[in-house]
Amino acid sequence: MSEKDRPLTPWAELGPDARLALQRDYQVEIDRQPLTCSLDEKMARFTAWLETRGIRFTMDDLRRR
């Protein structure tokens, strides 16, 4: 099975420390991106970034907070 075919781990299954570490790592990426006020764009960027790390994030995860 290639990395591309590997199932993604749901965000909800990650512990708080893992989530926080990913959010900290993502801040570096945010700082490189053009600014946007669009929640849809922010979600698309974060979701795509997480997928490269084997994590699935959805709007349902955002609502759980």
Side-chain angles (χ1 to χ4, degrees):
M1 179 185 309
S2 72
E3 281 189 37
K4 191 176 182 180
D5 297 328
R6 187 174 25 154
L8 299 176
T9 301
W11 178 261
E13 290 182 9
L14 300 175
D17 292 339
R19 290 181 192 178
L20 183 58
L22 285 163
Q23 290 169 327
R24 286 181 178 157
D25 290 347
Y26 185 61
Q27 184 62 51
V28 175
E29 181 65 24
I30 290 173
D31 292 341
R32 294 184 196 141
Q33 296 176 0
L35 298 176
T36 183
C37 292
S38 167
L39 179 58
D40 290 336
E41 182 63 25
K42 290 176 182 181
M43 280 291 300
R45 291 175 184 180
F46 188 52
T47 300
W49 184 84
L50 284 172
E51 284 180 0
T52 67
R53 284 146 183 82
I55 308 296
R56 183 181 65 239
F57 186 85
T58 68
M59 279 299 257
D60 289 338
D61 294 310
L62 186 61
R63 291 182 184 116
R64 281 189 197 120
R65 297 184 100 206

